[in-house]
Amino acid sequence: GFCRSILLVAVLCALIVASQAFSITKVSATPIRNLDIDLCPTCVSFASSSINELLNIILNAGVVGGCSELCGMLKNKLEDTVCNLLCDYVGITEFIKIVEEADLDPIYMCELLPICPIHDCSGQCVTINSINVNPPSGPAGTTFNIDCAIQAFNQTSTGEIVISISRLMASRLAMVSSSRRASSRATTTCASSCKL
């Protein structure tokens, strides 16, 4: 009782002295708007390389303490940093829910965060105008050049172009282009080559 009262008076006196010794100045911050920084490709790159590892950590470690603890379990330090930023953005509970719900789909994960925009296009959205493979066939060791022309009529969400090449219907090679958003009335040409 008495000791607690003396301690309370001492703390109050210290606060009064401190408030007179220092002046408090109000500082106002001006928010920066319209930076036009597209973090979607960074998010998709991060999720592509770490979503499986994150899901395993969550399933094996159970509920973790916070974002830094969860992300700190990633092996790559850059992934750890990006993970912390994304996790802190939505909170640990929501982040875990999103990783589990994304079902190993990096683009869907980044749309749920929401880092990548969602534009549900209806009607005619995109047309593949042409796909050319040169040479059309060849023996093992042949380099194939693949060209395609895609015309977008309306804005679409983030997506991937996946090219599947089969040899004797047994082996499959999937090449994934970088994530792109198509703007309205744009024609995109993509080219790739692979050696089988």
Side-chain angles (χ1 to χ4, degrees), residues 46 53-54 57-58 64 66-88 92 95:
F46 158 75
E53 187 178 357
L54 273 172
I57 291 169
I58 292 166
V64 294
C67 292
S68 60
E69 184 179 340
L70 170 65
C71 298
M73 292 183 197
L74 291 171
K75 295 173 186 141
N76 182 301
K77 286 301 166 196
L78 180 59
E79 289 175 358
D80 174 2
T81 302
V82 174
C83 178
N84 266 302
L85 293 170
L86 294 173
C87 182
D88 286 340
I92 185 67
F95 188 74

Side-chain angles (χ1 to χ4, degrees), residues 27-38:
V27 177
S28 62
T30 305
I32 300 172
R33 300 188 197 290
N34 300 328
L35 289 178
D36 291 331
I37 298 174
D38 185 5

Side-chain angles (χ1 to χ4, degrees), residues 138-141 165-173 195-196:
I165 301 169
S166 62
R167 182 172 44 183
L168 301 175
M169 304 298 279
S171 63
R172 292 183 118 5
L173 169 66
K195 189 171 187 171
L196 291 177

Side-chain angles (χ1 to χ4, degrees), residues 6 15-17 20 35 51 82 84 119 125 137 140 166 180 191:
I6 291 177
L15 287 173
I16 292 170
V17 169
Q20 292 176 355
L35 289 178
I51 192 170
V82 174
N84 266 302
H119 300 286
C125 301
S137 64
S166 62
R180 300 172 191 239

Side-chain angles (χ1 to χ4, degrees), residues 1-187:
F2 180 71
C3 290
R4 191 176 286 171
S5 297
I6 291 177
L7 180 62
L8 181 62
V9 170
V11 169
L12 286 173
C13 289
L15 287 173
I16 292 170
V17 169
S19 68
Q20 292 176 355
F22 301 102
S23 63
I24 299 174
T25 306
K26 182 179 178 183
V27 177
S28 62
T30 305
I32 300 172
R33 300 188 197 290
N34 300 328
L35 289 178
D36 291 331
I37 298 174
D38 185 5
L39 296 176
C40 183
T42 303
C43 182
V44 171
S45 176
F46 158 75
S48 295
S49 62
S50 64
I51 192 170
N52 192 34
E53 187 178 357
L54 273 172
L55 191 56
N56 283 328
I57 291 169
I58 292 166
L59 294 175
N60 292 327
V63 178
V64 294
C67 292
S68 60
E69 184 179 340
L70 170 65
C71 298
M73 292 183 197
L74 291 171
K75 295 173 186 141
N76 182 301
K77 286 301 166 196
L78 180 59
E79 289 175 358
D80 174 2
T81 302
V82 174
C83 178
N84 266 302
L85 293 170
L86 294 173
C87 182
D88 286 340
Y89 181 67
V90 294
I92 185 67
T93 304
E94 187 67 15
F95 188 74
I96 289 172
K97 179 181 161 195
I98 287 169
V99 170
E100 291 173 337
E101 185 178 332
D103 195 29
L104 302 177
D105 182 340
I107 292 175
Y108 184 50
M109 177 179 163
C110 294
E111 287 175 338
L112 292 174
L113 278 170
I115 302 298
C116 294
I118 299 171
H119 300 286
D120 292 327
C121 181
S122 60
Q124 186 176 13
C125 301
V126 176
T127 298
I128 299 174
N129 293 331
S130 67
I131 298 176
N132 298 307
V133 179
N134 191 14
S137 64
T142 302
T143 298
F144 295 89
N145 292 307
I146 304 167
D147 296 307
C148 61
I150 301 168
Q151 184 174 9
F153 298 98
N154 292 305
Q155 188 172 20
T156 62
S157 292
T158 305
E160 294 178 312
I161 297 172
V162 178
I163 301 169
S164 178
I165 301 169
S166 62
R167 182 172 44 183
L168 301 175
M169 304 298 279
S171 63
R172 292 183 118 5
L173 169 66
M175 299 181 330
V176 180
S177 74
S178 60
S179 299
R180 300 172 191 239
R181 279 192 313 260
S183 58
S184 64
R185 303 284 177 204
T187 300

